[in-house]
Amino acid sequence: MKQPALPLAYRSATGFENFAMTPANELAVSYLDRWPDWPSHMLLLAGPPGSGKSHLGAMFAARTGGRVLRPGQMHSRLKAPTLVVDALPPFGDPGLDEEGLFHLINWTREQGIGLLLLCESGTGPGVPALPDLASRLRAAPRVEIGQPDDALVGALLVKQFRDRGVDVPPEVVDYLIVRLPRDFAQIAATVARLDAAGLEQRRALTIPFVRQVLNEVS
């Protein structure tokens, strides 16, 4: 008899020991490691949804004694060595506080504060309604996190299952690596689906069970 899975919340681990560096993200990591020796006080870090931008931002803030802000906190004037703005809306989006971002960029530059802006791939400097903001963004260095390679897919699977309290066998990880698309969102969705199916059916995540769940979806 199937038992509906309870909608349990889980917390994603964002410590240094929980981050896997691979060729897909090593450029971003190496750039963050160079702070404070950046060519500008500001950096745009872009990547697909689920690519670990928030994780990197949290690690960068922890290492530099900085603070993480949400987009609605851009009028904050925290005196910290670095500030990270997480989940920045697309430039030109009505939901983006362009004036707040513009003044935050200017203020952090005047104060000598490092500013890390986290945004999704495709969220380029664009055409903000505020021309001065557009020029600031075009002048800033930009680093992209690429689509996951095999090593990162494996690391993501292990981490995301562990975030949910599931120790998945290595052979199951290897089985999934060669079958999943190189897409962060689909990897996360697959982990959620397998976790829910395992809880609902009270089954361990073995290769036969994982194959059954994936076949049912496809």
Side-chain angles (χ1 to χ4, degrees):
M1 177 189 230
K2 292 185 179 182
Q3 175 178 337
L6 296 175
L8 301 175
Y10 68 95
R11 185 175 70 85
S12 179
T14 56
F16 293 91
E17 71 280 6
N18 297 298
F19 187 83
M21 189 171 76
T22 77
N25 58 33
E26 64 182 354
L27 178 61
V29 173
S30 65
Y31 206 108
L32 294 179
D33 281 345
R34 292 207 300 269
W35 168 258
D37 298 320
W38 288 356
S40 167
H41 84 290
M42 177 172 63
L43 172 68
L44 274 71
L45 175 58
S51 59
K53 300 184 296 298
S54 295
H55 194 158
L56 271 175
M59 287 169 42
F60 176 72
R63 181 176 66 80
T64 60
R67 298 288 296 273
V68 178
L69 306 177
R70 301 298 294 178
Q73 298 175 301
M74 284 189 290
H75 290 277
S76 174
R77 294 296 179 260
L78 291 171
K79 292 291 186 71
T82 61
L83 294 176
V84 179
V85 180
D86 194 8
L88 198 67
F91 304 129
D93 188 292
L96 174 61
D97 179 3
E98 293 189 1
E99 185 175 347
L101 178 57
F102 175 70
H103 290 302
L104 180 65
I105 291 172
N106 290 340
W107 180 78
T108 50
R109 182 176 59 184
E110 292 166 2
Q111 298 294 320
I113 295 172
L115 181 61
L116 176 61
L117 304 179
L118 307 180
C119 57
E120 289 191 9
S121 294
T123 310
V127 286
L130 201 59
D132 287 342
L133 174 59
S135 66
R136 297 286 192 281
L137 295 171
R138 281 194 295 268
R142 178 185 174 94
V143 178
E144 292 267 355
I145 297 176
Q147 291 292 351
D149 49 31
D150 284 0
L152 187 51
V153 172
L156 286 170
L157 288 168
V158 171
K159 178 187 181 301
Q160 291 180 17
F161 276 119
R162 283 183 179 169
D163 285 347
R164 294 170 174 273
V166 179
D167 285 322
V168 64
E171 62 270 19
V172 172
V173 174
D174 292 340
Y175 178 84
L176 289 169
I177 285 174
V178 297
R179 287 165 175 81
L180 292 180
R182 281 5 186 194
D183 179 274
F184 290 101
Q186 292 197 47
I187 292 167
T190 299
V191 169
R193 187 179 301 118
L194 290 172
D195 181 36
L199 288 172
E200 182 180 343
Q201 301 183 39
R202 298 184 179 182
R203 297 275 300 277
L205 295 185
T206 62
I207 288 179
F209 180 62
V210 167
R211 181 190 300 119
Q212 171 192 325
V213 174
L214 295 182
N215 286 341
E216 288 172 356
V217 173
S218 61

